[in-house]
Amino acid sequence: MHISSAKTSYNVLTYGARPDGKTDSTQPFQDAWAAACGSTDSTMIYIPKGRYLLGAVAFTGGKCKSPAITIRIDGTLIAPEDYRILGRAQNWLSFERVSGVSIVGGALDAKGSPLWDCKANGSNCPAGATTLSFVNSNNIRIDGLLSLNSQMYHVVINGCQNVQVQGVRVMAAGDSPNTDGIHVQLSTDVVITNSSIKTGDDCISIGPGTKNLWIERVSCGPGHGISIGSLAKTTEEPGVQNVTVKSTIFSGTTNGFRIKSWARQSTGFVRAIRFIAATMINVRNPIIIDQNYCPHNLNCPNQVSGVQISDVMYQSIRGTSATPVAIKFDCSLKYPCTGIRLQDVKLTYSNKQARSTCTNAIGKTSGQVQPDNCL
């Protein structure tokens, strides 16, 4: 990516933003974006130290002239106190049809906990907003961002090409609902590295149409692990392929590496997946494929999963399972999982031998594999 040193800089303060945490700075941020977009140079939007109150704001490209816009955040962006304001929007900060945008530094505090409380008490609550969303965009970089207490997902990458996420920290309560750390779907060539995710749902969730995803040096916990799926939400669905997850640590999570699909017909597939060099610390389901996914057993389709899972490798996985079954492959009756490979896996359950269970799974092992393999 071309990062020019001679950037034209736009400071949000000059557009009327106030770093006092009380003045609504939504319009000044949009004005700074419009100015940067209108420049033919590489530009920088600068957000100095301080707290900036922002409502839902969409930064749209399409007509941008600037080849590269860096948003340098030295301050903290904060959501309105009333969770309903963002709760009715789909996204808090969204970027649509942009190219060459980098977000560097900064903290985003979505103040999601009152909405989580509302949902826990089951009263009439809005769905909630994703904190940071990139849609139909390319050449994107997110570097050194802190995302706190999102209402729903923290970061969503949807329909994008060439995205780099590095040094990101995500923090939300372990019981916060639907607060996935980073969600990727319909996107190609995404790299996520050197990040720490503590949240109430999947640390990283990988949706349909994801291709060439590289994840390395990520720590997860609390959270629900790194999940491909859920797939087969619809019958026509693009597959997931070429995913590598390397050098990860899972601590006290519900799952480690999970692939999940609903039990219904689907054109979806999962193939060429590499899970390499992971440490599991007290993880409930360290390795799991679940093709009968149906949370809370509500409205289960009760068919046979059409998602075809093949060529999945688990290599150099070590650590402890919080339950007796450390490896669970529950695959489709119609399309058994094929090409499952376990190599140098050692998972124990409270200093005892753990177990593995396999249904409709075909594959092989090499090196030492514990628990004893059921493939």
Side-chain angles (χ1 to χ4, degrees):
M1 244 163 64
H2 176 69
I3 302 283
S4 144
S5 53
K7 290 193 181 77
T8 311
S9 187
Y10 299 87
N11 187 323
V12 294
L13 297 181
T14 61
Y15 293 88
R18 290 284 167 268
D20 59 13
K22 297 186 189 71
T23 312
D24 187 335
S25 294
T26 310
Q27 193 59 48
F29 272 65
Q30 283 184 308
D31 293 345
W33 172 261
C37 260
S39 167
T40 52
D41 294 334
S42 292
T43 56
M44 179 165 82
I45 296 171
Y46 181 57
I47 300 153
K49 284 194 167 71
R51 295 170 71 76
Y52 300 84
L53 177 63
L54 283 187
V57 55
F59 302 100
T60 50
K63 293 177 183 163
C64 273
K65 296 191 185 81
S66 177
I69 301 176
T70 300
I71 302 172
R72 171 68 203 240
I73 309 174
D74 285 348
T76 300
L77 312 187
I78 60 172
E81 290 291 339
D82 181 354
Y83 65 83
R84 286 169 300 202
I85 295 173
L86 281 194
R88 290 190 283 262
Q90 270 196 306
N91 301 295
W92 180 20
L93 308 169
S94 67
F95 290 83
E96 298 161 22
R97 300 188 313 283
V98 300
S99 181
V101 169
S102 301
I103 296 178
V104 180
L108 308 177
D109 183 357
K111 298 184 183 291
S113 55
L115 176 60
W116 313 334
D117 291 344
C118 177
K119 288 179 174 179
N121 297 324
S123 44
N124 188 13
C125 315
T130 289
T131 289
L132 176 65
S133 161
F134 280 90
V135 182
N136 298 336
S137 297
N138 59 63
N139 299 337
I140 303 303
R141 193 163 69 99
I142 303 170
D143 190 350
L145 182 77
L146 167 62
S147 176
L148 291 169
N149 298 334
S150 61
Q151 289 193 342
M152 285 271 286
Y153 294 13
H154 287 264
V155 178
V156 167
I157 309 294
N158 180 4
C160 295
Q161 276 74 47
N162 190 13
V163 180
Q164 290 187 26
V165 179
Q166 62 182 26
V168 164
R169 287 177 301 147
V170 166
M171 296 173 81
D175 60 354
S176 56
N178 297 111
T179 51
D180 296 47
I182 301 171
H183 176 74
V184 181
Q185 66 176 38
L186 298 169
S187 295
T188 307
D189 299 323
V190 178
V191 177
I192 301 168
T193 55
N194 294 321
S195 295
S196 157
I197 302 172
K198 304 170 185 289
T199 193
D201 208 301
D202 293 330
C203 288
I204 298 174
S205 53
I206 301 158
T210 298
K211 186 177 176 182
N212 304 346
L213 169 62
W214 186 279
I215 297 167
E216 188 170 3
R217 293 186 301 276
V218 168
S219 67
C220 169
H224 294 180
I226 293 179
S227 294
I228 295 175
S230 54
L231 303 178
K233 284 191 182 105
T234 57
T235 48
E236 293 290 319
E237 193 176 82
V240 174
Q241 59 190 322
N242 291 1
V243 176
T244 299
V245 185
K246 197 172 172 185
S247 305
T248 48
I249 299 172
F250 297 86
S251 183
T253 53
T254 323
N255 308 288
F257 298 125
R258 174 165 64 159
I259 301 172
K260 53 178 175 168
S261 78
W262 293 83
R264 69 164 60 92
Q265 289 304 310
S266 174
T267 58
F269 62 83
V270 176
R271 61 172 172 252
I273 312 296
R274 304 285 174 264
F275 297 120
I276 303 166
T279 303
M280 307 274 176
I281 305 161
N282 207 33
V283 173
R284 289 186 64 80
N285 305 296
I287 292 174
I288 179 168
I289 296 177
D290 179 6
Q291 292 207 262
N292 291 290
Y293 177 72
C294 186
H296 318 299
N297 283 328
L298 288 171
N299 305 319
C300 301
N302 294 328
Q303 300 167 37
V304 172
S305 176
V307 175
Q308 300 187 44
I309 297 174
S310 62
D311 185 15
V312 183
M313 182 172 77
Y314 303 88
Q315 181 185 0
S316 303
I317 317 279
R318 302 267 182 280
T320 55
S321 173
T323 63
V325 177
I327 299 175
K328 181 181 179 183
F329 296 130
D330 182 9
C331 297
S332 167
L333 178 66
K334 186 176 182 188
Y335 300 107
C337 298
T338 60
I340 305 290
R341 284 177 293 158
L342 295 165
Q343 183 181 351
D344 299 320
V345 174
K346 186 175 184 188
L347 294 165
T348 57
Y349 166 61
S350 62
N351 297 327
K352 299 194 288 285
Q353 280 201 322
R355 300 203 318 270
S356 65
T357 69
C358 298
T359 311
N360 307 316
I362 301 160
K364 61 176 196 276
T365 66
S366 56
Q368 189 190 31
V369 173
Q370 289 179 287
D372 286 345
N373 142 56
C374 56
L375 288 169

